[in-house]
Amino acid sequence: RKLAAKSASDYALHVIVTDPSEPNAVADLAELFKHGISSVKLYMTYDALKLSDYDLLEVLALCRQHGAMTMIHAESHDMIRWITDRLFKSGHSLPPFHAISRHPVAEREATHRAISFAEFVGTPLLIVHVSSPAAVEEIARARSRGAPIFAETCPQ
C-alpha cells in the first residue's frame, strides 16, 4: 500500500485461478477480495491453467457473490489440442503453426460458452485476448441482449 500511494499511474492486480478445488482456494479468494483484489482471471485452455466448466461456474458464482470482475481467456482447449496433434503428426511444429492451431471456431465456441455461463450465473464478464471476428460477433450478440459482457484484444 505504501508503494501504491507513490504510483504515478493507476493499476490493478488480478488473481489467476487454476484450481478452485484446493482446500483453501475459496477462503483465500474471499480474503483477497476483502483486501482490495477485485478481479479474477480464468483460462479455458492451456494445461496448467484451464478450468473445467464446473470450476468456471464455481468461480463465476463466487465472484458474483463478492462483486468481483471475472476475466476469461476463451479458447476451446480440446479443439486446439485436436488441431495441434494433427499439426505435430504432420511435422508442423514451428512457431508459425501456433496461429494455425487457433482456429476462429475454437475461440467462438469458447466465447459463447463463457458468455452462457456468465448469463446463467448472473455476473458480468470480461473476455480477454479476443482475436477473431467470430468471437466479437458472440460478444455483440450478448451485449444486444443487455448482458454485461465486455471484451479486450491483445494484438501480438
Side-chain angles (χ1 to χ4, degrees):
R1 296 202 187 265
K2 290 178 189 176
L3 292 175
K6 296 178 184 180
S7 177
S9 64
D10 290 336
Y11 65 91
L13 301 175
H14 56 262
V15 175
I16 296 174
V17 177
T18 59
D19 187 0
S21 66
E22 289 187 15
N24 298 319
V26 171
D28 289 348
L29 278 173
E31 189 66 22
L32 288 170
F33 295 146
K34 287 180 190 174
H35 289 284
I37 299 296
S38 60
S39 60
V40 171
K41 187 171 184 181
L42 309 175
Y43 285 82
M44 297 174 81
T45 192
Y46 304 121
D47 287 327
L49 300 172
K50 73 179 178 73
L51 296 182
S52 69
D53 289 354
Y54 183 92
D55 287 340
L56 290 170
L57 289 163
E58 285 287 327
V59 176
L60 285 165
L62 182 67
C63 287
R64 178 178 184 242
Q65 178 184 347
H66 290 276
M69 173 59 78
T70 307
M71 305 181 305
I72 195 161
H73 179 102
E75 289 184 293
S76 174
H77 179 77
D78 287 328
M79 198 178 299
I80 290 169
R81 191 179 76 173
W82 188 86
I83 296 166
T84 301
D85 285 349
R86 274 139 190 83
L87 287 169
F88 280 171
K89 288 175 184 173
S90 300
H92 301 299
S93 60
L94 295 175
F97 292 99
H98 177 81
I100 292 169
S101 73
R102 269 47 186 182
H103 195 279
V105 172
E107 185 179 11
R108 182 189 71 206
E109 182 277 331
T111 299
H112 176 81
R113 193 161 26 107
I115 290 168
S116 297
F117 291 167
E119 287 182 304
F120 176 71
V121 170
T123 192
L125 182 68
L126 171 60
I127 301 171
V128 300
H129 311 157
V130 176
S131 64
S132 72
V136 171
E137 289 171 9
E138 291 294 330
I139 295 159
R141 201 172 1 265
R143 291 178 60 82
S144 73
R145 292 190 299 272
I149 305 299
F150 308 96
E152 69 170 24
T153 187
C154 181
Q156 297 177 13

